[in-house]
Amino acid sequence: MIRVRVISTRGSTPREAGAEMFVGPDSVEGTIGGGQLEYMAIDRARQMLKAGEAQAEMDIPLGPEIGQCCGGRVHLGLDRKGPEPQDYPDVLIFG
């Protein structure tokens, strides 16, 4: 699984720094704002999974160049998610 995290933003962007999503071969959890930005990040994350890459960065202008109208700029960090968290039940009762 690849974590895609918004490292920094400039100008108008769909999400703030710290927003993240997790991309697997056939799944996506969370969002970094949708649109072409998210499509490009998902595509890059899946390329990383296939190639076995551990990390990457993307610097994306959100304007006519990619067909997104926000007008700002987003710097993304992509990295492999660490060990899977332990599965816990949906409800814990103490006492």
Side-chain angles (χ1 to χ4, degrees), residues 2 5 18 21-22 33 36 40 44 48-50 54 60 64 70 79-80:
I2 301 291
R5 184 172 43 95
M21 68 180 179
F22 296 90
Q36 185 68 9
M40 292 169 64
R44 181 67 179 100
M48 290 175 65
L49 288 170
K50 286 181 186 176
I60 304 172
C70 297
D79 57 49
R80 287 202 174 261

Side-chain angles (χ1 to χ4, degrees), residues 4 16-17 19 26 33 35-36 39-40 58 63-64 70 76 78 81 84 89:
V4 179
E16 67 288 341
D26 300 312
Q36 185 68 9
Y39 174 80
M40 292 169 64
M58 299 175 74
C70 297
L76 303 177
L78 296 84
K81 185 177 173 189
E84 292 295 319

Side-chain angles (χ1 to χ4, degrees), residues 11 19 66 71:
I66 68 165

